[in-house]
Every structure is written in structure tokens, then in C-alpha cells.
Amino acid sequence: MTPTIVTKTPHPVPVERELRRERLAGLAQRHGAPAVLALAVLIASVLFPAFPTAENANGIAIQSSFLAIVALGMTFVIITGGIDLSVGSVFALGGVLAAYASPWGPLPALLLPLAVCGAIGLVQGLLIAKTGMAPFIVTLAGLLGARGLLLAVTDEGATTYLVPKESAFLELGQGTLFGIGYPVYLTVVLFALGAVLLQRTRYGQAVFAVGGSPDAAALMGLPVARIRVMTYLLSGLLAGFAGVLNASRLSSGVTILGVGMELDAIAAVVIGGTLLVGGAGSISGTLCGVLLLGVIQNVINQIGTLNSSYQSVVSGLFLIVVVVVQTFLGRRRRPR
């Protein structure tokens, strides 16, 4: 008599439970930044009476607008799976060139920095797309090159170009409408255009495809090299424009600005839910990430006992927590 072999089949994986966890993880990853921002604003409003005032809110919006414009370009770059370390130096260079050209009128003050900063982004994009060089190396060289050009224009930082007091260029950064500064309105418009560009155009869909898998995007017939070039060009233009606004706001081209700004932009984009590996992200998330950093800095200022060094420490710790949480949530989601 042949013995009967009984095998135990493993219990079936609870598919519905896994799908539910996946959906919850994806929801938290996409909408975690707005939720944390709302919570931070609520707590700050309760603890600090001066926080929820219109004047303080306008101050946060103004201070955050310059970083937000830089982070907008960084969002496109990171979604493609790249990185742009040059934006801080390009931001400072744009401000200096705007102040330098401002005596000839508002149009040269706007066009000169956009042309130079756009050219820097274009060259970086061509090097990355056409030669296959690592974005980290290329944009690091761009950081050094833009900072070197800035120092050359300002005689090693000894010359500070001032915007003439009667210049109409000052209205761009210092003008207000209904008590809100023009930079805030410009930032909102740029983010609205960025959201449409990313979500409603072929270019935006190609950006996601290139970030998800460049090889698959190429097999689909997408112009991968052109998409990357356009993305770095956009990043350079936005960083330069943020510098223009800042020069108009300060009435001068300050050479020491922009140091470390690239790290703040990357932090805001990552906090907003954009994955550093590329292929996923949103414009609204980046805006929430920028505002969250602005709220944190403002709360620390409200406390009044911490200097700028402690502000950097708190922001860094917060970024670590967010990245760890996003990594955990990302592992909870099955690869697509």
C-alpha cells in the first residue's frame, strides 16, 4: 500500500488587506505634507498669538516665494531622476546680473539674468543628456562655475550693484496688491502653470516616464535627451528669475546669497512627496514642502531663543524624519 503524502499549502496572502495597505501608504505619501503643514499651522496658531496674523502670514509667504520658485524647477529635475546642485549659485548670479543691468531699465534687468541663467541650465542639460555624465557632477561644476562668474562680475565680491531708487524694476519685488507682495502672486501663477505643464501636457507625462524608466521611455519613442535638456533649462530659468525677484526686493545684488539654497530646494521637494529616484511627484506637494519649511523657521523665530544655527539643525532633523517615513511608506507599496 502506497503511503499518502499530505502537503500543507500555505495560507493564501490576504490580497485585500495588502491592497488596502498599499492604498493607505500611497495616500499618506502623496498627502502627508499638506496634513503635516495643516497640523503645524494649527499648533503654531495655538501656541503663538502673533503667528496667525495677516502680517505674519504675508511675511512667511514673501520669504518662501523665492525658494518656492527655485524648488519648482527642482521638482521637474528630480522627477526625471536627476538633481541640480547649481540652483543656489544661479539664484545669486541672477540677482547680481539683474542689479547690474537695472540702470538701463527694467527690461534689461529681467532679460540679462534670464539669458545667462537659462544658458547655464541649457549647457548642463546638454552635457547630461548627450554625454551621459552624472547630473551630480555636471551640476556641481555648474555650481562652481556660476559662483565663479558671480565673483568675476563683482570683483571677487568687493562690488555690490545697487538698483536705482527711481527704477521701475523695484516694483516687481516691492510692490503690493491688496496688502500682498507681487512675488507671492508671481509664485502662485508660476506654480499654477507648472501644475498644468506637469499634469496636462505631453511634456509633463514624458517627464514622469523618463524618471520612471529612461529605457522604457526611449522604447516608447519619447525624446529622452530633449526632455532632460528642457528640464534643466527650465530649472536654470526659474532659479535666475527667483534671483531677479530677490534683487528687486532688496534693491541690490547681494553676492553671499544662495549658499546652500540648493539643499533647501531639494529638501522642500522631497518633503512634498517627490521621490529622489524619480518617476513620482507633484507641484502642490512641493509648495506644501516649501511652506512647511517656512512655518518651521517662523515658529523658531517666534520662540526667540534659538539662533540660525539651531534653525538649520531643527530643519535637518525634520527632513530626516520625513525621509524615513516616506521610505517606510514607499516599501509598503508594491512596485508597479
Side-chain angles (χ1 to χ4, degrees), residues 67-246:
L67 175 61
I69 295 174
V70 176
L72 176 60
M74 186 70 75
T75 304
F76 283 85
V77 171
I78 293 181
I79 290 177
T80 63
I83 201 76
D84 191 351
L85 299 179
S86 69
V87 291
S89 295
V90 172
F91 167 82
L93 177 62
V96 168
L97 292 177
Y100 171 80
S102 61
W104 289 279
L107 195 59
L110 179 64
L111 294 181
L112 177 62
L114 288 182
V116 175
C117 296
I120 293 174
L122 178 62
V123 170
Q124 292 182 151
L126 288 172
L127 288 174
I128 293 169
K130 299 298 185 180
T131 68
M133 297 176 65
F136 180 89
I137 299 300
V138 173
T139 58
L140 178 60
L143 179 156
L144 299 175
R147 185 66 61 175
L149 181 57
L150 180 152
L151 294 176
V153 171
T154 60
D155 299 323
E156 301 295 327
T159 302
T160 300
Y161 296 103
L162 303 178
V163 180
K165 294 182 179 180
E166 68 280 1
S167 176
F169 174 65
L170 293 176
E171 190 70 12
L172 185 65
Q174 300 179 11
T176 60
L177 179 64
F178 303 117
I180 301 175
Y182 285 166
V184 178
Y185 290 108
L186 291 171
T187 301
V188 172
V189 170
L190 288 174
F191 266 75
L193 293 175
V196 172
L197 182 63
L198 186 63
Q199 300 292 340
R200 302 297 181 182
T201 66
R202 292 182 178 180
Y203 166 75
Q205 298 307 307
V207 166
F208 283 111
V210 171
S213 175
D215 295 333
L219 290 175
M220 293 168 57
L222 296 176
V224 175
R226 187 190 310 168
I227 294 300
R228 284 175 170 165
V229 171
M230 291 175 61
T231 301
Y232 283 92
L233 171 61
L234 179 64
S235 180
L237 287 173
L238 288 173
F241 182 68
V244 170
L245 281 182
N246 192 62

